[in-house]
Amino acid sequence: MDGRFVINERAEQVSIANGTQGKWRKDLVILTLKVDASTGVGTTALSTIQGTPAATQDAAKDPAYTPGDLSKGQYQAQVPIARVVLNGLTPTAEHALPTVSALTSENFEIISCEPPSGYSGSSKNLWHVWRSGASVTIHARVWLDAGIKNDSLLCPFLIPEGSRPPKVDSSKYNADGYENIYYNDAFCPNNADVISVLSVRPDGKIYMQDMGGKPSRDWRYGTLTYTVAPK
């Protein structure tokens, strides 16, 4: 976060204010990092910023927050980590990363490091995405646990809008959807008979997935680079 690693391995709770019947609202869950000016020690806290109710989902906008910039001598930075959308009284949570303006520039880096499901060791799933100019690189080291031929794992965040791979124009080409998926080979270091790929889609989703071959509850490694869709 803003050039510093923030690791949390316990559950956290935040409060969401009640919605309004017949109205849409978008709230942001905010991670705030404060740095003590005298010691340089940082502390973090979660909070919510409430949006303004609107008649439609499109009209409901994310509330403003203060990004901050620790690299420029400031002592506080904020990052939205989730958006909560309320349709009347009903809330749903979704990833906020794709719409954060700070991540839509031509240079960014996103890292997720979380304990894998079904794995008892200390190693963590790593998803690492960065952009430099028009190129975006995805690096992943993740554990697949289902033990089936077509096992897959979805990355916990999305590629930001404006940095996603191009989509095939179906009006010009007879595309059935698979042409919109970009693949590169991945491997299972302990089993050469596993057929795995790292893939990314124009909607920003990233998968590590098996494409048949021998099932294996084990680690997968992969890297993929693509050129951003032209504006």
Side-chain angles (χ1 to χ4, degrees), residues 115-211:
S117 174
Y119 181 70
S120 59
S122 59
S123 298
K124 295 180 173 61
N125 283 342
L126 171 67
W127 300 92
H128 185 189
V129 178
W130 66 94
R131 175 174 175 175
S132 179
S135 294
V136 174
T137 299
I138 304 166
H139 175 68
R141 175 186 179 273
V142 298
W143 174 271
L144 296 190
D145 189 60
I148 58 177
K149 288 186 176 181
N150 296 297
D151 199 358
S152 65
L153 184 67
L154 175 64
C155 177
F157 58 81
L158 300 177
I159 300 289
E161 293 179 1
S163 295
R164 296 175 181 176
K167 186 175 183 179
V168 173
D169 186 345
S170 58
S171 66
K172 298 179 180 179
Y173 306 99
N174 184 22
D176 60 9
Y178 291 103
E179 290 83 355
N180 294 316
I181 305 175
Y182 295 77
Y183 299 94
N184 199 29
D185 292 339
F187 69 95
C188 177
N190 297 314
N191 196 329
D193 294 327
V194 175
I195 303 172
S196 302
V197 296
L198 183 62
S199 66
V200 62
R201 293 154 170 76
D203 61 3
K205 292 181 180 179
I206 306 167
Y207 285 90
M208 181 68 77
Q209 55 192 114
D210 287 347
M211 307 294 284

Side-chain angles (χ1 to χ4, degrees), residues 73-88:
Q74 299 179 21
Y75 296 104
Q76 178 173 303
Q78 292 184 329
V79 173
I81 62 172
R83 178 191 296 111
V84 179
V85 179
L86 291 97
N87 178 6

